[in-house]
Amino acid sequence: MTALSKLKSKMRSLFLVTTGAGVFFAGFNLLKGKDKFYDDFLMPLARKCPPETSHRLAVLGCKYKLFTGPKNEDPSILSTPFFNKQLKNPIGIAAGFDKQGEAIEGLDKIGFGLVEIGSVTPEAQPGNPTPRVFLLDSDQAIINRYGFNSEGHRVVFDRISDLKKGNNFKGILGINLGKNKTSPNALDDYVKGVNLFGPIADYLVINVSSPNTPGLRDLQGKQDLENLLTGVIEARNKLPVNNGVPVFVKIAPDLTKKDIEDISSVVLKGKCKVDGLIVSNTTIDKSKVSDAELAKEAGGLSGAPLKSKSTQLIAQMYAQTKGKIPIIGVGGVFSGSDAFEKIEAGASYVQLYTAFVYHGPPIVTKIKTELADILVEKGYKSVSEVVGKNYKKYLNNN
Ligand SMILES: Cc1cc2nc3c(=O)[nH]c(=O)nc-3n(C[C@H](O)[C@H](O)[C@H](O)COP(=O)(O)O)c2cc1C
């Protein structure tokens, strides 16, 4: 063997050993779910890829159950009622992470108490041209203008039906409904969603608050919302099975005082009364983001800069609706204390998305542990005891 071929063979062995060790290291830490591995290694590495590629890889990671969940059962203090069911904890994954319903079981395994998929549109549509997701690292924020990229009702429905046949998923599944960009009739689109998904969902969401579908947020206007919800609730009530499936409305954080009063009156009113609110979607207000270049990107802003705005709106909606319908609070939740604030402001359940992108699956256990500790420390016996307890503190929070 010549000196050169000896060197080549040594290099090859070295490469195999280091790659093997790297794969072993990564696999071991993925399985152990170590926070430091995610925060110092995996998540910064993921952020080197284009954001949409990382998103896709994360969905696939959940789909193929590469991430382990919590080692222990959730603290019993976190168990909380959800209509006629009981959640193991009140922390959910918000809509938009698993848009096509591919990773439901994996997300459940990571430890979410609620899994919301979508938004799903009736017909498949590609969404906006790429790039359409931007990470604002120093602000712990995301701007996205996906524009409801959806495989459409039928594909997502078949996927969930298969999952249900396997009978492996025992969690709470929310299905978030959107409308097609070119659809001339929004009500038709949402009613199609109610009819198809109502029988198999634990709750449905009428999303009228994405900033990335032209005209969608106008559906939050008083008369439009009343017409839309009247049709939606009528369809829900006529379902041959599961006709009590809870219907939530997801609203935007960029609302005037008058909008808030109007929405509150509509969602509590007779034939268009819904079962709950999701507060809130992303904001179009970029005044809090410092990364000037990316802040110029069109789309909705999520993450830390949205936190106080969404908590304030939770408190306002809680006050206006007098706590008569549950609120799912979402926007900038990164810690147990953020979740506690949302609950004190009036949320019965809490969702997150951006924190999951920045910190990976361990953030779920972290938030749950911290939230349980706060509840115990403050002498509470359950999550429901805290709901809206301190909403006045957050009414002028922004
Ligand atoms: C990339 C991305 C895509 C999203 N897509 C949807 C969606 O399809 N439907 C929806 O209702 N909300 C969507 N959202 C909004 C989230 O569900 C959530 O309301 C918002 O991000 C605030 O929570 P966060 O600060 O924890 O991310 C999306 C958010 C992000 C970041």
Side-chain angles (χ1 to χ4, degrees):
M1 208 184 234
T2 64
L4 183 66
S5 55
K6 266 188 193 162
L7 183 68
K8 272 189 185 163
S9 149
K10 273 197 177 158
M11 293 292 284
R12 205 175 303 125
S13 311
L14 189 66
F15 175 76
L16 286 174
V17 168
T18 46
T19 310
V23 169
F24 179 75
F25 169 75
F28 176 77
N29 283 286
L30 274 176
L31 288 173
K32 284 270 171 197
K34 290 195 169 164
D35 302 23
K36 260 187 87 54
F37 168 71
Y38 280 88
D39 273 350
D40 297 349
F41 180 73
L42 195 65
M43 303 318 282
L45 189 70
R47 286 203 290 280
K48 298 251 181 284
C49 303
E52 194 164 339
T53 309
S54 318
H55 180 187
R56 187 69 203 133
L57 290 174
V59 172
L60 290 175
C62 293
K63 177 175 175 173
Y64 293 108
K65 301 186 198 125
L66 296 183
F67 310 115
T68 48
K71 286 163 210 77
N72 304 314
E73 295 218 330
D74 289 332
S76 58
I77 197 166
L78 294 184
S79 173
T80 196
F82 183 85
F83 299 89
N84 55 2
K85 305 208 163 88
Q86 192 70 17
L87 302 183
K88 54 190 179 187
N89 70 73
I91 309 297
I93 179 77
F97 176 75
D98 185 10
K99 283 177 183 278
Q100 325 297 351
E102 297 168 274
I104 298 167
E105 265 184 282
L107 288 163
D108 180 53
K109 187 172 157 227
I110 285 168
F112 285 109
L114 309 112
V115 175
E116 187 172 316
I117 64 150
S119 298
V120 194
T121 57
E123 304 302 324
Q125 64 174 32
N128 289 322
T130 58
R132 50 193 178 176
V133 195
F134 307 89
L135 297 193
L136 286 70
D137 276 31
S138 52
D139 294 294
Q140 295 273 291
I142 299 176
I143 292 176
N144 94 83
R145 52 166 181 270
Y146 267 113
F148 289 166
N149 49 319
S150 177
E151 292 184 341
H153 281 175
R154 185 44 61 182
V155 171
V156 176
F157 177 82
D158 289 346
R159 205 168 269 144
I160 300 171
S161 303
D162 284 348
L163 174 75
K164 296 236 155 178
K165 271 183 220 140
N167 209 20
N168 288 325
F169 176 70
K170 303 265 184 289
I172 301 290
L173 176 64
I175 302 177
N176 181 309
L177 304 172
K179 73 171 270 291
N180 278 115
K181 184 176 177 181
T182 54
S183 165
N185 188 331
L187 175 60
D188 271 2
D189 279 19
Y190 290 106
V191 166
K192 280 181 193 159
V194 171
N195 287 336
L196 188 67
F197 290 107
I200 57 165
D202 294 303
Y203 69 96
L204 293 172
V205 183
I206 305 301
N207 177 12
V208 284
S209 48
S210 165
N212 304 314
T213 295
L216 192 82
R217 285 173 305 156
D218 298 342
L219 295 171
Q220 295 173 113
K222 193 171 187 184
Q223 197 52 57
D224 283 344
L225 190 65
E226 184 164 339
N227 295 343
L228 179 73
L229 294 181
T230 304
V232 161
I233 296 300
E234 193 186 325
R236 190 275 311 268
N237 293 344
K238 281 192 191 149
L239 286 174
V241 282
N242 207 21
N243 60 12
V245 59
V247 171
F248 283 71
V249 179
K250 184 164 179 178
I251 61 173
D254 311 300
L255 299 172
T256 63
K257 194 163 170 279
K258 166 99 175 33
D259 294 332
I260 293 170
E261 287 166 7
D262 286 350
I263 293 172
S264 306
S265 74
V266 171
V267 297
L268 292 180
K269 189 172 164 183
K271 54 188 188 341
C272 49
K273 182 177 181 299
V274 297
D275 305 285
L277 292 167
I278 303 192
V279 184
S280 70
N281 214 314
T282 54
T283 177
I284 50 168
D285 172 7
K286 312 273 170 60
S287 59
K288 284 198 178 158
V289 287
S290 54
D291 193 330
E293 265 317 296
L294 290 178
K296 280 194 225 120
E297 292 293 344
L301 174 72
S302 59
L306 173 62
K307 184 175 96 169
S308 55
K309 200 180 178 82
S310 95
T311 309
Q312 181 180 27
L313 184 57
I314 291 166
Q316 290 166 331
M317 294 309 295
Y318 182 82
Q320 286 288 325
T321 57
K322 303 191 172 60
K324 286 182 185 156
I325 50 173
I327 295 173
I328 300 180
V330 51
V333 173
F334 284 76
S335 66
S337 147
D338 297 339
F340 183 78
E341 282 187 7
K342 293 265 191 276
I343 299 169
E344 265 197 317
S348 297
Y349 318 99
V350 175
Q351 290 177 330
L352 54 122
Y353 184 157
T354 302
F356 191 60
V357 170
Y358 278 96
H359 301 285
I363 190 110
V364 186
T365 303
K366 175 182 165 280
I367 291 175
K368 289 190 296 188
T369 311
E370 289 173 356
L371 177 61
D373 288 350
I374 295 171
L375 293 174
V376 172
E377 227 171 76
K378 294 192 183 280
Y380 291 113
K381 299 215 162 31
S382 68
V383 172
S384 26
E385 253 181 84
V386 187
V387 176
K389 188 101 185 161
N390 223 344
Y391 75 90
K392 287 189 183 145
K393 178 174 151 191
Y394 300 98
L395 284 173
N396 298 305
N397 194 37
N398 209 8

